[in-house]
Amino acid sequence: MTGATGTPPLARYRAEFPVFDGQIYLNTCSLGALSRRSRARVEAFLDEWDRRGAAAWYDVWWAALENLRQRYAGIIGAGVGEIALHASVSTATGVMASALDYQRRPRVVTTSLDFPTVAYQWLAKRPLGVEVTVLESPDGISVPLEAFADAIDERTALVATSHVFFTSGSILDIAAVAELAHAKGALCYVDAYQSVGQVPLDVRATGVDFLTAGGLKWLLGGPGIVFLYVREALVSRLRPTVTGWFANEQQFRFDPRALELHRDARRFEQGTPALAAVHAQLGGLDVLDEIGLDAVFAAVRELADDLVARAAEAGLRPKVAVQPARRSAIIMIPAADPQAEVRRLAEAGIVADARPGHVRLSPFFYNTPDDHQRAIDVLTT
Ligand SMILES: Cc1ncc(COP(=O)(O)O)c(C=O)c1O
């Protein structure tokens, strides 16, 4: 796409996202843009709340939760019974971590490139005897499979890592990691917050046991709504010890003496979901469904290639995976003072983000090669 003239076809959806009024948004990996459809869905939710109060719970709002579980399942090729809704990756992994047995297998293997809230779940359990092994990355881009293979042993309960690393945008071969974990009798959890919506993911084909993703970034749902996938064969074997009434099959008996966990992945849920976030997410999914996820993935791929090529051509030395197939649309540009660069971009009307040592640019289907060039022009002057 480098040097291509004309606007990519999906950029016509830009009008759906008011954040583009008067500026260029290149920061989807921090927060996906708010669509008009999300706003309309949230407004409809608020109207219902005004009009009917709690009566809306038992039909439209309950149905919205079911609809969302189903749509999340569809996106990753899971069954609806494998999906639990949560407010954040932290709460979802907290519940999941509470269901594992660390007696015989006290170790959890994670990496220095994973989002830290993942490791925190198990660092917090160190007083209970849990050991956390953090694999280092030799290049700051990815972690070699050999490092996983060396670290996973018969004392390992879980390997917890990411599909796309938030620090580098690199795509990890999670099917291979799951295989290494299973070969030693361990389970595998994947934080896919930075992948679902921007790169294809067929969760069953990967063989992973647990996976989280959600609205904040590439699914255009905003904060407050994520999902936890639990592989079907595991669901009934695991009993979370951090829980709540939404995990209870007999939720509306209100009996404090009996906890009968759902037979499906809802046994990993906790309390009342943030319904405004649920509706914002449904609006974001409406946009993605209308475009079609395959078209989104193809557009993202082209945009990522374009941005990497332009940045390299301009001498910005983008830090990305060597193999193009391992790259995503999170592109790190080395910078001595990334905060200052982000401020300069903001002054030029471009929204980007900083991470230690880097400016982080993340185009999505609503971006164009012209957006890339404008950012590069600022970064090179
Ligand atoms: C890879 C990844 N995981 C998790 C999170 C956030 O976790 P939580 O939902 O607990 O705030 C982020 C960023 O917000 C992220 O980039």
Side-chain angles (χ1 to χ4, degrees), residues 57 60-70 85 246 273 275 278 282:
W57 250 123
V60 284
W61 292 346
W62 204 258
L65 297 180
E66 283 175 4
N67 182 242
L68 185 54
R69 283 191 204 94
Q70 235 150 37
L85 298 180
F246 272 66
L275 278 167
V278 166
L282 289 170

Side-chain angles (χ1 to χ4, degrees), residues 47-132:
D47 289 345
E48 200 83 25
W49 182 1
D50 256 349
R51 224 167 35 81
R52 300 178 62 212
W57 250 123
Y58 303 104
D59 44 53
V60 284
W61 292 346
W62 204 258
L65 297 180
E66 283 175 4
N67 182 242
L68 185 54
R69 283 191 204 94
Q70 235 150 37
R71 291 172 79 174
Y72 276 151
I75 289 170
I76 59 166
V80 67
E82 296 174 305
I83 300 293
L85 298 180
H86 266 276
S88 69
V89 172
S90 308
T91 63
T93 48
V95 171
M96 183 263 279
S98 83
L100 304 184
D101 179 3
Y102 305 101
Q103 291 300 317
R104 267 191 332 108
R105 291 175 173 267
R107 281 183 87 203
V108 174
V109 173
T110 185
T111 86
S112 61
L113 298 183
D114 293 305
F115 196 80
T117 208
V118 170
Y120 297 163
Q121 304 310 317
W122 291 281
L123 289 181
K125 292 189 193 306
R126 281 200 293 199
L128 306 176
V130 172
E131 301 162 19
V132 179

